[in-house]
Amino acid sequence: MMLHLLNRSPRSTATYQDVSEAFGSDDHLLLIEDACYAAQPSAGAALEPFGGRVSVLQEDLVARGLAKRVDPSVEVVDMNGFLALTETHERCVSWF
């Protein structure tokens, strides 16, 4: 079980492809910083390869004015939720 932290916007298609290739069946993706834009319903297919195992950091959504525009398949987590994800996954990898 691995937690993938992604900070790139969905325009960085090569990074999203790399993450999807490394993403295992028990893994989880947390969108941070500019990756929050991928949590918008209008972002298209950027998150399809992750099978609904996706969260987005609330503080980063708020900082970008996106808090009210989150795809229903993406779980919004605060910093405590971020900490809980790190505690429940054996490893963590950052995609920058």
Side-chain angles (χ1 to χ4, degrees):
M1 288 180 33
M2 187 178 309
L3 177 62
H4 298 263
L5 305 176
L6 179 60
N7 80 333
R8 297 280 184 103
S9 86
R11 293 181 184 169
S12 299
T13 56
T15 304
Y16 281 72
Q17 180 64 35
D18 290 344
V19 177
S20 70
E21 290 173 3
F23 199 78
S25 61
D26 291 328
D27 291 357
H28 193 88
L29 177 64
L30 177 62
L31 305 171
I32 60 172
E33 300 172 7
D34 284 345
C36 292
Y37 291 101
Q40 295 181 48
S42 62
L47 300 179
E48 283 181 12
F50 307 105
R53 296 182 315 272
V54 180
S55 299
V56 62
L57 190 60
Q58 180 180 20
E59 288 81 353
D60 287 336
L61 284 171
V62 171
R64 287 160 179 78
L66 302 174
K68 296 181 188 269
R69 295 182 286 182
V70 178
D71 189 283
S73 68
V74 178
E75 178 187 15
V76 178
V77 297
D78 59 11
M79 290 303 263
N80 288 331
F82 184 177
L83 179 61
L85 285 169
T86 64
E87 291 174 338
T88 58
H89 290 83
E90 296 169 4
R91 295 181 293 161
C92 183
V93 62
S94 297
W95 299 86
F96 291 97

